[in-house]
Amino acid sequence: MSTGGSPIETVVVHPLVLLSVVDHYNRIDKVSSQKRVVGCLLGSLSKGSLDVSNSFAVPFDEDEKDPNVYFLDHDYLETMYNMFKKVNAKEKIVGWYHTGPKLHPNDIKINEIIKSYCSDSVLVIIDAKPKDLGLPTDAYISVDEVHDDGTPTTRTFDHVRSEIGAEEAEEVGVEHLLRDIKDTTVGSLSQHLSTLVAALKSLFSKLDDISVYLEQVTDGTLPVNHPIIYQLQDVFNLLPNLNIPQLMDAFTVKTNDQNLVMYTASIIRAVIALHSLINNKTSNRAAEKDGVKKVEVEKEDKEEKEKDTSKEDSNKKDVKST
């Protein structure tokens, strides 16, 4: 059971932060064998929503075999923060990030260091090379875990809801960047269908995670977490009851109407395509006939000119002979 209060309910990560983290990871990955990078997050807190609008990298190194051995450059962190403060005083240190992609054993200790600059420090794990569908961000806050056996409390991480948000200027910049990624030759319908397929795959992966979690709780591998069970119960309560005949009839009628519209549109499209093909063939035949007529007329004109020239030559010869 976890206790500990925090006003942070949602963490909103801006696209600029994602681009900076990916650039940081790629630069370090080319020159070092380090598996993850670390940096500070800047932003502001308002009404339970933490707005992460900027970030900067921090030199970091660790021993993969011993989690107690790591290095975080405090002097560089303070220098960079003072420089960012001169540019925008509203942006303050709100937490830190690393590229995970999962939690590490020494994350609690690093978080305690960051808490010296921010009392409500947030850890955001940003996956620079996501393999699964969904958001590449996971946000956590540190809380005190109270054990049922009476042992002293320990610090652990509690998951916080995260999302991607952007201002209007950032949305324009992201759209310009996506122009180089999106295939302009693909129609909007195919893009819409590919988006739906990606969303369904993401939903399936989430449902699979829920199934695995419930199986582990049933087997006793994991303890029962009542808040998670309550949230799952709320999700199940929101599901429609498909056993109602009226609802099934409504789904059937709507599906039939959509199929009828698609069938009619396909027929119309085929008729228009055939009509265009026939028009194209008739125009080509007419053009061929016009071309043949032009060639014949040109030949006749050429022959007449040759006859005229030959007559003139013969007349000139007769005049000379006389």
Side-chain angles (χ1 to χ4, degrees), residues 125-164:
I125 298 178
I126 301 175
D127 192 357
K129 293 183 178 181
K131 298 179 181 179
D132 299 329
L133 297 172
L135 293 179
T137 59
D138 288 312
Y140 300 91
I141 56 174
S142 61
V143 295
D144 291 328
E145 184 178 6
V146 179
H147 301 283
D148 296 333
D149 55 1
T151 55
T153 60
T154 56
R155 303 293 291 179
T156 186
F157 282 112
D158 190 14
H159 189 267
V160 182
R161 188 167 66 91
S162 63
E163 60 185 36
I164 306 298

Side-chain angles (χ1 to χ4, degrees), residues 41-249:
L41 299 175
L42 304 176
S44 58
L45 178 63
S46 176
K47 297 180 181 180
S49 178
L50 181 63
D51 198 54
V52 182
S53 56
N54 209 341
S55 65
F56 62 87
V58 177
F60 174 79
D61 198 3
E62 63 182 341
D63 188 357
E64 297 179 1
K65 298 180 180 179
D66 188 359
N68 295 322
V69 179
Y70 61 90
F71 168 74
L72 185 69
D73 197 339
H74 302 73
D75 296 334
Y76 181 86
L77 190 154
E78 294 176 358
T79 303
M80 289 295 294
Y81 177 53
N82 291 329
M83 293 173 62
F84 274 91
K85 192 187 296 184
K86 293 179 182 178
V87 177
N88 191 351
K90 294 182 179 180
E91 291 182 346
K92 299 180 180 180
I93 294 179
V94 295
W96 62 292
Y97 72 83
H98 71 77
T99 55
K102 301 295 182 182
L103 288 170
H104 287 243
N106 54 5
D107 286 347
I108 285 291
K109 296 181 180 180
I110 300 174
N111 190 73
E112 294 299 323
I113 296 174
I114 303 298
K115 287 184 72 173
S116 60
Y117 304 96
C118 171
S119 58
D120 295 328
S121 175
V122 174
L123 167 61
V124 179
I125 298 178
I126 301 175
D127 192 357
K129 293 183 178 181
K131 298 179 181 179
D132 299 329
L133 297 172
L135 293 179
T137 59
D138 288 312
Y140 300 91
I141 56 174
S142 61
V143 295
D144 291 328
E145 184 178 6
V146 179
H147 301 283
D148 296 333
D149 55 1
T151 55
T153 60
T154 56
R155 303 293 291 179
T156 186
F157 282 112
D158 190 14
H159 189 267
V160 182
R161 188 167 66 91
S162 63
E163 60 185 36
I164 306 298
E167 297 179 354
E168 184 177 359
E170 291 178 318
E171 290 179 356
V172 174
V174 171
E175 288 178 358
H176 281 286
L177 290 175
L178 291 177
R179 287 180 181 177
D180 297 333
I181 301 174
K182 289 184 177 180
D183 188 2
T184 56
T185 60
V186 180
S188 59
L189 178 60
S190 60
Q191 290 179 355
H192 181 65
L193 292 176
S194 62
T195 305
L196 290 177
V197 171
L200 290 175
K201 289 182 179 179
S202 178
L203 177 61
F204 177 77
S205 64
K206 300 299 181 185
L207 293 176
D208 188 47
D209 293 339
I210 293 173
S211 176
V212 172
Y213 170 75
L214 293 177
E215 288 178 358
Q216 292 179 351
V217 171
T218 304
D219 298 339
T221 307
L222 293 176
V224 178
N225 191 314
H226 295 288
I228 295 178
I229 300 299
Y230 294 154
Q231 290 180 1
L232 291 177
Q233 187 63 46
D234 293 337
V235 171
F236 295 147
N237 291 334
L238 292 174
L239 294 175
N241 186 6
L242 299 179
N243 295 325
I244 300 176
Q246 293 82 359
L247 183 61
M248 294 298 296
D249 293 339

